[in-house]
mmCIF file of all heavy atoms in Angstrom:
data_model
loop_
_atom_site.group_PDB
_atom_site.id
_atom_site.type_symbol
_atom_site.label_atom_id
_atom_site.label_comp_id
_atom_site.label_asym_id
_atom_site.label_seq_id
_atom_site.Cartn_x
_atom_site.Cartn_y
_atom_site.Cartn_z
ATOM 1 N N LYS A 1 -6.212 -2.666 -5.377
ATOM 2 C CA LYS A 1 -5.002 -3.280 -5.914
ATOM 3 C C LYS A 1 -5.322 -4.224 -7.059
ATOM 4 O O LYS A 1 -4.518 -4.404 -7.987
ATOM 5 C CB LYS A 1 -4.288 -4.014 -4.759
ATOM 6 C CG LYS A 1 -3.067 -4.820 -5.191
ATOM 7 C CD LYS A 1 -2.005 -3.929 -5.828
ATOM 8 C CE LYS A 1 -0.787 -4.737 -6.281
ATOM 9 N NZ LYS A 1 0.148 -3.960 -7.057
ATOM 10 N N LYS A 2 -6.500 -4.809 -6.995
ATOM 11 C CA LYS A 2 -6.862 -5.739 -8.060
ATOM 12 C C LYS A 2 -7.000 -5.045 -9.412
ATOM 13 O O LYS A 2 -6.932 -5.696 -10.454
ATOM 14 C CB LYS A 2 -8.194 -6.422 -7.704
ATOM 15 C CG LYS A 2 -8.110 -7.305 -6.460
ATOM 16 C CD LYS A 2 -9.475 -7.902 -6.147
ATOM 17 C CE LYS A 2 -9.426 -8.779 -4.872
ATOM 18 N NZ LYS A 2 -10.750 -9.379 -4.564
ATOM 19 N N TYR A 3 -7.204 -3.743 -9.406
ATOM 20 C CA TYR A 3 -7.442 -3.008 -10.645
ATOM 21 C C TYR A 3 -6.262 -2.154 -11.101
ATOM 22 O O TYR A 3 -6.395 -1.389 -12.069
ATOM 23 C CB TYR A 3 -8.686 -2.122 -10.490
ATOM 24 C CG TYR A 3 -9.924 -2.907 -10.081
ATOM 25 C CD1 TYR A 3 -10.391 -2.878 -8.756
ATOM 26 C CD2 TYR A 3 -10.611 -3.681 -11.015
ATOM 27 C CE1 TYR A 3 -11.516 -3.613 -8.380
ATOM 28 C CE2 TYR A 3 -11.735 -4.417 -10.620
ATOM 29 C CZ TYR A 3 -12.174 -4.377 -9.319
ATOM 30 O OH TYR A 3 -13.275 -5.106 -8.951
ATOM 31 N N THR A 4 -5.180 -2.197 -10.419
ATOM 32 C CA THR A 4 -4.014 -1.387 -10.800
ATOM 33 C C THR A 4 -2.736 -2.160 -10.557
ATOM 34 O O THR A 4 -2.682 -3.026 -9.668
ATOM 35 C CB THR A 4 -3.981 -0.059 -10.008
ATOM 36 O OG1 THR A 4 -2.835 0.689 -10.454
ATOM 37 C CG2 THR A 4 -3.867 -0.302 -8.516
ATOM 38 N N ASN A 5 -1.747 -1.854 -11.338
ATOM 39 C CA ASN A 5 -0.428 -2.494 -11.187
ATOM 40 C C ASN A 5 0.515 -1.667 -10.322
ATOM 41 O O ASN A 5 1.677 -2.054 -10.137
ATOM 42 C CB ASN A 5 0.212 -2.701 -12.561
ATOM 43 C CG ASN A 5 -0.545 -3.712 -13.415
ATOM 44 O OD1 ASN A 5 -1.101 -4.680 -12.880
ATOM 45 N ND2 ASN A 5 -0.577 -3.480 -14.723
ATOM 46 N N GLN A 6 0.042 -0.535 -9.875
ATOM 47 C CA GLN A 6 0.908 0.329 -9.106
ATOM 48 C C GLN A 6 1.010 -0.158 -7.661
ATOM 49 O O GLN A 6 0.118 -0.807 -7.125
ATOM 50 C CB GLN A 6 0.362 1.777 -9.133
ATOM 51 C CG GLN A 6 -0.004 2.267 -10.518
ATOM 52 C CD GLN A 6 1.147 2.179 -11.503
ATOM 53 O OE1 GLN A 6 2.298 2.210 -11.101
ATOM 54 N NE2 GLN A 6 0.820 2.039 -12.779
ATOM 55 N N ARG A 7 2.149 0.168 -7.025
ATOM 56 C CA ARG A 7 2.370 -0.151 -5.613
ATOM 57 C C ARG A 7 1.594 0.870 -4.759
ATOM 58 O O ARG A 7 1.791 2.059 -4.905
ATOM 59 C CB ARG A 7 3.855 -0.101 -5.300
ATOM 60 C CG ARG A 7 4.177 -0.403 -3.836
ATOM 61 C CD ARG A 7 5.679 -0.286 -3.609
ATOM 62 N NE ARG A 7 6.031 -0.476 -2.221
ATOM 63 C CZ ARG A 7 7.264 -0.391 -1.728
ATOM 64 N NH1 ARG A 7 8.284 -0.090 -2.580
ATOM 65 N NH2 ARG A 7 7.517 -0.574 -0.456
ATOM 66 N N ILE A 8 0.757 0.333 -3.869
ATOM 67 C CA ILE A 8 -0.083 1.198 -3.011
ATOM 68 C C ILE A 8 0.411 1.068 -1.575
ATOM 69 O O ILE A 8 0.614 -0.052 -1.081
ATOM 70 C CB ILE A 8 -1.569 0.795 -3.088
ATOM 71 C CG1 ILE A 8 -2.047 0.894 -4.544
ATOM 72 C CG2 ILE A 8 -2.420 1.643 -2.163
ATOM 73 C CD1 ILE A 8 -3.448 0.386 -4.747
ATOM 74 N N THR A 9 0.614 2.223 -0.971
ATOM 75 C CA THR A 9 1.059 2.240 0.437
ATOM 76 C C THR A 9 0.154 3.202 1.225
ATOM 77 O O THR A 9 -0.116 4.317 0.760
ATOM 78 C CB THR A 9 2.520 2.709 0.544
ATOM 79 O OG1 THR A 9 3.331 1.878 -0.302
ATOM 80 C CG2 THR A 9 3.010 2.626 1.985
ATOM 81 N N LEU A 10 -0.286 2.737 2.451
ATOM 82 C CA LEU A 10 -1.062 3.597 3.351
ATOM 83 C C LEU A 10 -0.191 3.932 4.548
ATOM 84 O O LEU A 10 0.398 3.027 5.173
ATOM 85 C CB LEU A 10 -2.336 2.886 3.805
ATOM 86 C CG LEU A 10 -3.366 2.562 2.710
ATOM 87 C CD1 LEU A 10 -4.541 1.796 3.304
ATOM 88 C CD2 LEU A 10 -3.846 3.833 2.036
ATOM 89 N N ILE A 11 -0.059 5.214 4.847
ATOM 90 C CA ILE A 11 0.808 5.694 5.930
ATOM 91 C C ILE A 11 -0.029 6.610 6.820
ATOM 92 O O ILE A 11 -0.760 7.473 6.325
ATOM 93 C CB ILE A 11 2.016 6.462 5.374
ATOM 94 C CG1 ILE A 11 2.771 5.599 4.335
ATOM 95 C CG2 ILE A 11 2.954 6.897 6.485
ATOM 96 C CD1 ILE A 11 3.803 6.363 3.541
ATOM 97 N N ASP A 12 0.130 6.379 8.155
ATOM 98 C CA ASP A 12 -0.589 7.296 9.045
ATOM 99 C C ASP A 12 0.227 8.552 9.246
ATOM 100 O O ASP A 12 1.347 8.658 8.742
ATOM 101 C CB ASP A 12 -0.915 6.603 10.384
ATOM 102 C CG ASP A 12 0.351 6.193 11.142
ATOM 103 O OD1 ASP A 12 1.454 6.703 10.765
ATOM 104 O OD2 ASP A 12 0.275 5.376 12.054
ATOM 105 N N LEU A 13 -0.323 9.494 9.980
ATOM 106 C CA LEU A 13 0.344 10.788 10.143
ATOM 107 C C LEU A 13 1.608 10.691 10.981
ATOM 108 O O LEU A 13 2.435 11.602 10.958
ATOM 109 C CB LEU A 13 -0.631 11.801 10.775
ATOM 110 C CG LEU A 13 -1.877 12.122 9.933
ATOM 111 C CD1 LEU A 13 -2.766 13.133 10.668
ATOM 112 C CD2 LEU A 13 -1.488 12.646 8.573
ATOM 113 N N ALA A 14 1.762 9.591 11.705
ATOM 114 C CA ALA A 14 2.984 9.416 12.489
ATOM 115 C C ALA A 14 4.094 8.821 11.650
ATOM 116 O O ALA A 14 5.223 8.655 12.115
ATOM 117 C CB ALA A 14 2.701 8.516 13.693
ATOM 118 N N GLY A 15 3.803 8.417 10.411
ATOM 119 C CA GLY A 15 4.813 7.860 9.516
ATOM 120 C C GLY A 15 4.814 6.361 9.514
ATOM 121 O O GLY A 15 5.649 5.737 8.844
ATOM 122 N N THR A 16 3.877 5.724 10.235
ATOM 123 C CA THR A 16 3.837 4.268 10.293
ATOM 124 C C THR A 16 3.132 3.754 9.060
ATOM 125 O O THR A 16 2.080 4.266 8.668
ATOM 126 C CB THR A 16 3.108 3.808 11.563
ATOM 127 O OG1 THR A 16 3.790 4.352 12.696
ATOM 128 C CG2 THR A 16 3.112 2.300 11.654
ATOM 129 N N VAL A 17 3.731 2.711 8.439
ATOM 130 C CA VAL A 17 3.148 2.104 7.240
ATOM 131 C C VAL A 17 2.042 1.169 7.688
ATOM 132 O O VAL A 17 2.305 0.175 8.389
ATOM 133 C CB VAL A 17 4.205 1.352 6.418
ATOM 134 C CG1 VAL A 17 3.553 0.661 5.221
ATOM 135 C CG2 VAL A 17 5.305 2.293 5.953
ATOM 136 N N ILE A 18 0.801 1.468 7.347
ATOM 137 C CA ILE A 18 -0.347 0.653 7.685
ATOM 138 C C ILE A 18 -0.484 -0.493 6.698
ATOM 139 O O ILE A 18 -0.795 -1.626 7.086
ATOM 140 C CB ILE A 18 -1.639 1.510 7.721
ATOM 141 C CG1 ILE A 18 -1.483 2.710 8.661
ATOM 142 C CG2 ILE A 18 -2.838 0.660 8.136
ATOM 143 C CD1 ILE A 18 -1.153 2.331 10.098
ATOM 144 N N TYR A 19 -0.185 -0.170 5.358
ATOM 145 C CA TYR A 19 -0.360 -1.200 4.346
ATOM 146 C C TYR A 19 0.583 -0.882 3.185
ATOM 147 O O TYR A 19 0.758 0.274 2.785
ATOM 148 C CB TYR A 19 -1.824 -1.225 3.855
ATOM 149 C CG TYR A 19 -2.030 -2.082 2.632
ATOM 150 C CD1 TYR A 19 -2.065 -3.484 2.725
ATOM 151 C CD2 TYR A 19 -2.173 -1.485 1.370
ATOM 152 C CE1 TYR A 19 -2.255 -4.262 1.595
ATOM 153 C CE2 TYR A 19 -2.370 -2.266 0.248
ATOM 154 C CZ TYR A 19 -2.398 -3.661 0.360
ATOM 155 O OH TYR A 19 -2.579 -4.427 -0.775
ATOM 156 N N ASP A 20 1.180 -1.945 2.643
ATOM 157 C CA ASP A 20 2.029 -1.804 1.450
ATOM 158 C C ASP A 20 1.747 -3.000 0.567
ATOM 159 O O ASP A 20 1.925 -4.149 0.995
ATOM 160 C CB ASP A 20 3.512 -1.751 1.810
ATOM 161 C CG ASP A 20 4.352 -1.297 0.628
ATOM 162 O OD1 ASP A 20 4.329 -1.958 -0.459
ATOM 163 O OD2 ASP A 20 5.072 -0.270 0.720
ATOM 164 N N SER A 21 1.286 -2.739 -0.679
ATOM 165 C CA SER A 21 0.852 -3.831 -1.550
ATOM 166 C C SER A 21 2.024 -4.694 -2.031
ATOM 167 O O SER A 21 1.820 -5.819 -2.482
ATOM 168 C CB SER A 21 0.120 -3.261 -2.778
ATOM 169 O OG SER A 21 0.975 -2.413 -3.520
ATOM 170 N N SER A 22 3.243 -4.212 -1.925
ATOM 171 C CA SER A 22 4.395 -4.989 -2.387
ATOM 172 C C SER A 22 5.087 -5.730 -1.267
ATOM 173 O O SER A 22 5.914 -6.618 -1.524
ATOM 174 C CB SER A 22 5.410 -4.062 -3.067
ATOM 175 O OG SER A 22 4.847 -3.450 -4.207
ATOM 176 N N ILE A 23 4.805 -5.380 0.020
ATOM 177 C CA ILE A 23 5.462 -6.007 1.160
ATOM 178 C C ILE A 23 4.376 -6.603 2.047
ATOM 179 O O ILE A 23 3.517 -5.879 2.531
ATOM 180 C CB ILE A 23 6.285 -4.984 1.965
ATOM 181 C CG1 ILE A 23 7.292 -4.248 1.039
ATOM 182 C CG2 ILE A 23 7.040 -5.681 3.091
ATOM 183 C CD1 ILE A 23 8.299 -5.161 0.393
ATOM 184 N N ASP A 24 4.434 -7.922 2.255
ATOM 185 C CA ASP A 24 3.429 -8.605 3.077
ATOM 186 C C ASP A 24 4.058 -9.008 4.408
ATOM 187 O O ASP A 24 5.104 -9.696 4.421
ATOM 188 C CB ASP A 24 2.898 -9.853 2.362
ATOM 189 C CG ASP A 24 2.116 -9.481 1.103
ATOM 190 O OD1 ASP A 24 1.552 -8.378 1.067
ATOM 191 O OD2 ASP A 24 2.130 -10.294 0.141
#
């Protein structure tokens, strides 16, 4: 995230959001 301005989201196969760079 430190090197990009894009929003990064990690989602598991069940659809649960593990990480979202715009939502803390």
Side-chain angles (χ1 to χ4, degrees):
K1 175 60 181 172
K2 295 178 181 181
Y3 304 103
T4 181
N5 293 326
Q6 312 304 334
R7 179 182 176 182
I8 301 174
T9 305
L10 296 177
I11 306 169
D12 62 15
L13 297 180
T16 302
V17 177
I18 306 301
Y19 169 76
D20 193 301
S21 60
S22 298
I23 305 299
D24 294 332

